Each structure stands twice: as C-alpha cells, then as structure tokens.
Amino acid sequence: MSAFAEDFTASLAERCLAAGSWQELPGADGGPRMAFQSAGNGDAGAGYLKLWRASGDSGWDRMIHARLAADTVDTNLFFLFARAQGVLPHFHGQAVQFGGDQCVYNADLLPRLDPVDHPGYFRAVFEPLNRPY
C-alpha cells in the first residue's frame, strides 16, 4: 500500500517543526512515544504515536502524530495544541487511506471554549477565517 496518508501527515509535522522550536518526547526505546500492536497478532505493529513539546516562548504547547494501521486502512491523525493561557483553537488534521489509491482527509480548528458560554470567542476567532480570499 502506498504511504500517502502517513507521508502527508508527517509533512504537516515537519512544517511545524521547521517553523518553531520543538522537542520530541520519545518512548523508552528512543522511537515513537508509543508503539501500537495489532489486537489479532501482538507481534505485528499497528502504528505509533509521536509527541512533541514546544519551547516555553511559543504560543504552541504540544503536537501529536498518531498512525493507526490495520490491514488495508491507514489512519493518520495530527493535532497541534495551543497553550492553555490562550484562546487560539487547536488544529486537527486527519488522512485515512483505503488501499493504494483511495484517501479521504479533513482538517478542523477545534474551539477552546464552549460556544454557548462564550459566543464572543467564536465571533473574534472564526469570523476572520470566513472572509473570502
């Protein structure tokens, strides 16, 4: 199977790494933070979770790339979390590959605050993103 979904998601992480100061938090063996094993075959790998922490002077806090690989489905999740002190929404990207040539993806900005309690937040943060370019 082609690795488009994994490569695409890894490229998101690489762009973030190039734009800021990040430290990867590896697992005990120096590889990804977590290695996933197949439920049906404990010896078979089923993906991983990579975790990075941003430097203290950044508006970002953590970055995650999780890959869940099972048979012909390769799911890759990417999260970019902002610091708790700010209201910047978190970024989530997902790419799911089915076989060698079928792929779906989505991207979303996950709000920090409840829209019922903080309607002004949504106007301030998301309205600028609605302007046509």
Side-chain angles (χ1 to χ4, degrees), residues 2-129:
S2 169
F4 171 79
E6 182 182 19
D7 291 346
F8 174 77
T9 309
S11 74
L12 291 174
E14 288 169 10
R15 286 174 171 239
C16 292
L17 290 168
S21 179
W22 296 89
Q23 174 190 8
E24 185 167 0
L25 303 173
D29 65 355
R33 181 72 173 195
M34 296 175 67
F36 304 138
Q37 301 301 316
S38 170
N41 178 358
D43 294 331
Y48 54 80
L49 182 135
K50 292 183 177 182
L51 174 64
W52 294 267
R53 177 178 48 222
S55 67
D57 60 347
S58 170
W60 300 108
D61 186 33
R62 300 281 195 275
M63 179 170 57
I64 294 173
H65 175 189
R67 180 179 186 217
L68 308 169
D71 298 325
T72 61
V73 179
D74 188 8
T75 302
N76 286 265
L77 307 166
F78 178 79
F79 294 95
L80 187 56
F81 296 104
R83 296 238 180 250
Q85 300 84 354
V87 295
L88 183 68
H90 304 304
F91 175 77
H92 167 249
Q94 177 179 343
V96 181
Q97 188 166 347
F98 306 89
D101 61 354
Q102 299 174 2
C103 189
V104 297
Y105 71 94
N106 70 347
D108 199 0
L109 293 173
L110 305 174
R112 300 288 302 246
L113 303 173
D114 186 322
V116 174
D117 294 331
H118 303 278
Y121 165 81
F122 284 81
R123 283 190 292 278
V125 173
F126 290 101
E127 277 185 10
L129 300 175

